[in-house]
């Protein structure tokens, strides 16, 4: 754990959630962070672990839902105005003007922040961007943009520097130089807080580390405590694997078979393996150290907990209810169909039974040996014909009833299918409306952000114009006072002013002013002097 002492940043129970299409997503939850004063502290974690969200809360770019933040003992965000000169940050887009040069962009920021103009050249030199200072920002590469953002953060010589992903967009050389610059600032007594997902970067420049996962702190402390013992596994390939495994186990190594090679775990120095094999006159054809990566470190530090089911959103709940209702309707439809099939089978069985009984009766009548008169035969025929007609009418009636039941069953099935299709169409329409509503909300939010950015840019331009006009009026007043003084003393000039002593600064001011403003600033004092004469 980080020892208690001088603390630059301290948070307690910090929580931040965002609204998304699928509901509210938690960025950080119960974050207790302690960053000691001085040195480099790294927020280390996998993507979406809460690193950038934490930096946005610390720099006032976002407001926490719960919890408390203190920077140098001052509550944040309420106390940020008091800390404005002590904090520099490189988080998100810097917002430079693409048509202005890098030096001009920094000069405007220095003027707004009250920093001396000489500081602009110092920070440009410090980030190795002096040779590109006069080029337009729109022509900068990603590496040069990153350097200029870091220079802007260093304008007021802050006590705390916050940098999100220092090596983003940089090549190998640029990454090394930025890391060296951050390390130099820490050696000067500054506090540097970086958020990174690169394990080697944290090991190279950080003094202390906080490992985040899912918006929570897994562990925090010194690099030696958390990352210095990152396990090293060495893959060894040679001819006599069995003999080599026996020799390495005798030397105290943890060896496991990996097919055509040996895997040696927990190795402090890979050269020890070579020495142990050489003693047995065994020589490896391949010896490759494999260091533990960030995912393995996070997995090693993460507590084993049962997975928590993610709550369903309202849209998902509605879809689940619709699916359950549809399944119930399908089951009811199948049950009705089975019932109708059973009834039809029963009716058909009854008809078949009647037919068989009629056939048996007729065969019995033919087999009986009896002599009857013609009158009896005709009477018997009439009697036999009468029951057969009744049976036919009954069969016709049963057929008609079966046809009606079949038609009713078909109509029920059609209505159920139509109801299912209508429900599916309503669900699809609801989903489409929800997506359109969300898209419209996102468009309005984007338009509002664009309007706010445009308004801020106009205000900044107006402030710059007013500052330029004020400087021009001051220069004209000084020139007029100088001429009056010379006229009063009979042509004798007074000692050189600060402007005369520092021509380089006057040239910088003239370069920063527009030509129209320079002309107006020079003509106004001359016209006033002529009118008074």
């Amino acid at each position: 754990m980080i020892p208690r002492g001088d603390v630059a940043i301290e948070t307690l129970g910090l929580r931040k959630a965002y609204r998304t299409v699928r509901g509210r997503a938690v960025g950080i939850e119960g974050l207790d962070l302690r960053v000691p004063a001085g040195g480099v502290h790294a927020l280390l974690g996998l993507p979406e672990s809460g690193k950038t969200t934490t930096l946005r809360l610390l720099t006032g770019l976002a407001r926490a839902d719960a919890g408390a933040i203190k920077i140098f003992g001052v509550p944040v965000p309420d106390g940020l105005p008091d800390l404005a000169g002590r904090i520099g940050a490189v988080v998100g887009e810097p917002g430079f003007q693409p048509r202005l040069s890098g030096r001009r962009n920094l000069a405007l920021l220095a003027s707004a922040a009250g920093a001396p103009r000489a500081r602009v050249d110092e920070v440009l030199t410090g980030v190795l961007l002096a040779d590109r200072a006069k080029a337009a920002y729109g022509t900068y590469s990603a590496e040069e943009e990153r350097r200029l953002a870091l220079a802007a953060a260093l304008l007021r010589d802050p006590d705390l520097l916050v940098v999100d992903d220092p090596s983003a967009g940089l090549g190998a050389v640029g990454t090394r130089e930025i890391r060296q610059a951050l390390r130099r600032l820490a050696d000067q007594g500054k506090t540097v807080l970086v958020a990174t997902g690169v394990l080697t970067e944290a090991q190279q420049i950080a003094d202390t580390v906080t490992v985040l996962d899912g918006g929570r702190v897994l562990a925090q402390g010194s690099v030696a405590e958390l990352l210095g013992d990152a396990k090293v596994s060495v893959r060894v390939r040679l001819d006599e694997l069995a003999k080599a495994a026996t020799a390495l186990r005798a030397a105290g190594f943890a060896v496991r078979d990996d097919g055509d090679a040996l895997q040696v775990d927990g190795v402090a120095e890979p050269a020890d393996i070579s020495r142990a094999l050489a003693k047995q006159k065994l020589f490896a054809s391949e010896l490759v150290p494999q260091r533990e990566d960030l995912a393995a470190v996070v997995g090693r530090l993460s507590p084993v907990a049962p997975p928590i089911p993610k709550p369903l959103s309202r849209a998902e709940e509605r879809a689940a209810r619709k699916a359950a209702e549809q399944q119930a309707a399908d089951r009811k439809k199948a049950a009705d169909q089975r019932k109708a099939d059973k009834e039809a089978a029963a009716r058909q069985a009854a008809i078949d039974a009647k037919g068989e009984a009629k056939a048996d009766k007729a065969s019995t009548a033919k087999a009986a040996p009896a002599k009857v008169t013609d009158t009896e035969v005709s009477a018997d025929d009439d009697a036999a014909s009468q029951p057969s007609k009744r049976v036919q009418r009954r069969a016709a009636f049963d057929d008609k009833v079966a046809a009606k039941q079949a038609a009713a069953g078909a109509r029920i099935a059609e209505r159920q299918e139509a109801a299912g299709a209508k429900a599916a169409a309503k669900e699809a329409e609801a989903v489409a409306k929800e997506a359109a509503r969300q898209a419209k909300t996102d468009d309005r939010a984007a338009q509002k952000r664009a309007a706010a950015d445009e308004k801020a840019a106009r205000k900044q331009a107006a402030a710059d114009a007013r500052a330029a006009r004020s400087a021009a009026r001051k220069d004209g007043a000084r020139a007029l006072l100088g001429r009056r003084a010379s006229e009063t003393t009979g042509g004798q000039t007074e000692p050189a002013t600060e402007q005369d002593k520092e021509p380089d600064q006057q040239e910088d001011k003239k370069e920063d002013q527009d030509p129209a403003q320079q002309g107006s600033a020079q003509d106004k004092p001359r016209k006033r002097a002529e009118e008074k004469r």
Side-chain angles (χ1 to χ4, degrees):
M1 296 296 293
I2 298 173
R4 289 188 172 273
D6 294 337
V7 179
I9 301 173
E10 187 173 12
T11 69
L12 180 63
L14 208 58
R15 185 181 189 277
K16 178 63 179 177
Y18 296 96
R19 182 176 297 173
T20 64
V21 178
R22 298 176 60 86
R24 293 187 68 82
V26 177
I28 57 174
E29 180 68 45
L31 182 65
D32 296 334
L33 178 66
R34 288 177 59 82
V35 178
V40 179
H41 186 91
L43 292 180
L44 186 62
L46 299 172
E48 299 183 0
S49 59
K51 304 186 298 296
T52 301
T53 302
T54 302
L55 297 189
R56 290 176 61 84
L57 293 176
L58 294 177
T59 55
L61 297 177
R63 183 175 289 272
D65 298 333
I69 305 173
K70 285 187 178 181
I71 299 179
F72 297 121
V74 179
V76 173
D78 297 336
L80 278 177
D82 300 331
L83 297 171
R86 302 185 65 185
I87 300 177
V90 184
V91 180
E93 296 296 330
F96 292 126
Q97 298 296 323
R99 296 185 178 180
L100 299 181
S101 65
R103 186 179 184 280
R104 179 58 176 162
N105 273 294
L106 291 185
L108 292 176
L109 289 177
S111 177
R117 292 180 60 86
R119 182 67 179 163
V120 174
D121 294 328
E122 292 179 8
V123 296
L124 286 172
T125 303
V127 298
L128 305 179
L129 202 60
D131 56 341
R132 290 279 290 163
K134 294 183 179 181
Y137 176 74
T139 63
Y140 279 14
S141 63
E143 182 172 337
E144 291 170 342
E145 292 177 358
R146 196 68 174 174
R147 292 174 183 270
L148 190 65
L150 182 60
L154 296 174
L155 271 176
R156 290 180 288 189
D157 193 17
D159 297 327
L160 170 63
L161 179 63
V162 180
V163 184
D164 186 12
D165 199 357
S167 58
L170 302 181
V173 177
T175 299
R176 183 176 64 255
E177 292 173 349
I178 290 297
R179 290 175 181 175
Q180 292 173 352
L182 296 178
R183 189 64 255 177
R184 286 195 300 270
L185 290 172
D187 294 339
Q188 295 171 7
K190 309 292 184 183
T191 302
V192 181
L193 176 63
V194 299
T196 180
V198 183
L199 181 62
T200 56
E201 187 168 54
Q203 290 175 319
Q204 289 175 5
I205 67 172
D207 301 305
T208 54
V209 178
T210 296
V211 182
L212 301 180
D213 182 44
R216 293 179 173 84
V217 175
L218 291 183
Q220 54 182 340
S222 66
V223 175
E225 293 174 353
L226 300 182
L227 306 180
D229 59 348
K231 298 179 180 179
V232 178
S233 178
V234 179
R235 180 180 176 83
V236 181
R237 189 192 300 271
L238 70 171
D239 296 333
E240 302 179 69
L241 291 179
K243 187 176 180 180
T246 303
L248 291 176
R249 289 192 181 98
F253 292 99
V255 183
R256 52 189 172 90
D257 191 5
D258 191 16
D260 58 346
L262 297 177
Q263 202 75 23
V264 185
D265 299 324
V267 180
E269 182 59 46
D272 295 340
I273 297 176
S274 299
R275 284 191 286 268
L277 293 175
K279 289 180 181 180
Q280 303 297 327
K281 296 183 179 181
L282 298 172
F283 301 96
S285 60
E286 178 182 340
L287 195 147
V288 181
Q290 299 171 343
R291 295 191 176 274
E292 189 178 32
D293 59 3
L294 177 58
V297 172
V298 172
R300 173 165 55 86
L301 297 176
S302 298
V304 179
I308 300 175
K310 188 175 182 180
L312 297 177
S313 63
R314 292 182 178 179
E316 291 174 338
E317 290 178 355
R318 287 196 299 269
R321 285 198 302 270
K322 293 291 184 182
E325 293 173 358
Q326 184 64 32
Q327 291 177 358
D330 294 340
R331 287 194 296 268
K332 184 178 179 182
K333 179 181 177 181
D336 293 340
Q337 185 64 35
R338 287 194 297 271
K339 184 178 180 181
D341 294 340
K342 287 180 180 180
E343 292 176 353
R347 286 193 299 270
Q348 185 65 35
I351 294 171
D352 294 342
K354 288 180 181 179
E356 291 177 358
K358 183 178 178 181
D360 292 342
K361 186 176 180 181
S363 61
T364 303
K366 289 180 180 179
K371 294 182 179 180
V372 293
T373 61
D374 295 337
T375 304
E376 291 175 348
V377 171
S378 62
D380 292 339
D381 292 340
D382 293 338
S385 64
Q386 289 179 357
S388 66
K389 290 181 180 179
R390 285 196 298 270
V391 171
Q392 291 176 359
R393 285 196 298 271
R394 182 63 181 177
F397 177 75
D398 291 340
D399 293 340
K400 188 180 292 185
V401 171
K404 286 184 179 180
Q405 289 179 347
R411 287 195 297 272
I412 291 173
E414 290 177 357
R415 285 197 296 269
Q416 289 177 347
E417 290 179 359
K422 187 175 181 180
K426 286 185 178 179
E427 178 65 19
E429 184 179 359
V431 173
K433 286 183 179 180
E434 181 68 19
R437 190 181 301 110
Q438 184 63 34
K440 190 174 182 181
T441 302
D442 295 341
D443 291 340
R444 285 199 298 268
Q447 291 175 1
K448 287 182 180 180
R449 288 195 297 270
D453 294 341
E454 184 179 358
K455 185 176 180 181
R458 290 200 300 269
K459 286 185 178 181
Q460 183 64 33
D464 295 340
R466 288 195 298 272
R469 290 196 297 271
S470 176
R473 286 196 295 270
K474 289 180 180 180
D475 293 341
R478 292 192 187 98
L480 180 59
L481 290 175
R483 285 194 295 272
R484 287 182 178 177
S486 62
E487 292 173 359
T488 303
T489 56
Q492 296 178 359
T493 58
E494 293 185 357
T497 62
E498 292 296 326
Q499 290 78 7
D500 298 330
K501 293 179 180 180
E502 299 177 3
D504 293 338
Q505 295 182 0
Q506 291 181 355
E507 290 298 329
D508 289 343
K509 291 182 179 180
K510 291 180 181 180
E511 178 185 348
D512 294 339
Q513 292 179 351
D514 296 334
Q517 294 178 350
Q518 293 180 8
S520 60
Q522 295 175 359
D523 294 337
K524 287 182 180 180
R526 189 181 299 110
K527 291 181 180 179
R528 291 175 184 171
E530 291 175 359
E531 290 175 359
K532 289 185 179 181
R533 290 177 183 175

